[in-house]
Structure formats: structure tokens, C-alpha cells
Amino acid sequence: MTRLSIVIMAVPERKEMVYALIKRLGRNVPVAWDYDYNGIWWNCLRAWKMVKGSATHHLILQDDVLVCDDFIESAERAISYRPNDFVGFYANNQICTKASESGHSWVNIKNGVWGQTQMLPVYEIPRFLSWCETNIDPTYKHDDRRLATYLSV
């Protein structure tokens, strides 16, 4: 059975966006607040480690993302189709428009990892974080590029 864990990455000046996002999700979701502005990777690393309970999948939302009304249900459905894969729910790519116009609801984008939403099976998270520790300069701040690089190896 699929169990989804969700966390929001946030900075204090976007707190109203965070509260609006939580309300829209319809569920009390933990927030990884970066009160000291330590940076996006620092906060993303914390967010990946905030897996709740016996979750099978963990989803990180950034504080400025806009989600559809049935976002959580859609994420859970996505897991049922791609249970062992990374799933992103945001892509600024023309292929998405073309797919939608053709009646398709899925696309595979080789470099299609953007930061607004990232979801991994829980078992993949320690592998990803360990790989980052070994292969990426710790000062490199871009969380989505880290994940994109990891997924391409």
C-alpha cells in the first residue's frame, strides 16, 4: 500500500504562501523552515530527511508552488503508475504542452527535474543523499540539478 509523506521547503518571507498551500492541500503538512537562510540545498537536505512514519514515497514542495485541487490524490495515483521512479509535477517544457494537446498525461523528460516538486520512493532517498555527499561539492546550492545529475547516472 502506498503511503505518501509530504513536506514544504520554505523561507519566512513566504509564510503566507505556505499557509495558503497547506490550506489548498487540505492536510496539515510539516514545513522545513529556513529561518537562518542557510540556503536551498541545506533546507532541501533537511526536507528529504523529514520522511514521515512508514511512508513509501516522499514529496517535497517548494513554498511558491501552486497545486491543483486534487494534488495529493493525483500524487498518490502517480505512484501507482510509477512506483519505483522519480516523479516531478512541474516541468517548464514544450513537450508537456504537446502531450496534453495529444491527450497524454505523462511525459518522460531526460533532464526534467525542476525544484518546485520532487517525489522519490523512500528507499531511494538515502542512496541519493549518499551519492550527493560523495559526488557533489557541498557548496553547490541547486537541489534540482543535484537530483537531475543523480538520476542520469
Side-chain angles (χ1 to χ4, degrees):
M1 179 176 165
T2 298
R3 292 172 303 283
L4 182 59
S5 172
I6 303 172
V7 66
I8 299 169
M9 290 175 45
V11 290
E13 68 264 13
R14 292 183 173 172
K15 69 180 179 183
E16 295 306 320
M17 295 170 90
V18 171
Y19 299 138
L21 177 56
I22 291 170
K23 183 176 181 180
R24 184 137 177 106
L25 290 170
R27 183 185 294 181
N28 192 13
V29 175
V31 180
W33 291 104
D34 187 1
Y35 289 113
D36 296 325
Y37 298 92
N38 290 308
I40 193 156
W41 175 243
W42 177 87
N43 203 24
C44 186
L45 182 59
R46 289 178 57 235
W48 279 123
K49 293 177 179 180
M50 290 175 71
V51 175
K52 190 173 182 180
S54 61
T56 58
H57 292 76
H58 189 55
L59 172 65
I60 296 176
L61 298 169
Q62 288 196 357
D63 53 14
D64 61 344
V65 72
L66 300 174
V67 296
C68 59
D69 288 335
D70 63 345
F71 180 76
I72 292 175
E73 294 81 6
S74 295
E76 290 170 339
R77 251 179 298 160
I79 293 167
S80 71
Y81 291 108
R82 306 298 292 213
N84 298 307
D85 294 333
F86 161 80
V87 177
F89 297 91
Y90 171 81
N92 186 11
N93 194 304
Q94 194 175 49
I95 192 172
C96 298
T97 303
K98 290 178 182 177
S100 179
E101 290 169 353
S102 300
H104 298 286
S105 33
W106 287 93
V107 296
N108 287 322
I109 305 172
K110 190 168 182 90
N111 65 349
V113 178
W114 288 273
Q116 282 74 16
T117 60
Q118 300 175 0
M119 183 172 70
L120 284 172
V122 167
Y123 69 80
E124 193 70 39
I125 296 169
R127 294 177 193 171
F128 166 55
L129 298 181
S130 176
W131 182 88
C132 285
E133 194 171 297
T134 303
N135 296 286
I136 304 286
D137 182 329
T139 63
Y140 186 72
K141 66 179 181 178
H142 301 289
D143 58 323
D144 48 4
R145 294 312 309 154
R146 285 172 178 261
L147 184 56
T149 305
Y150 169 74
L151 293 171
S152 69
V153 278

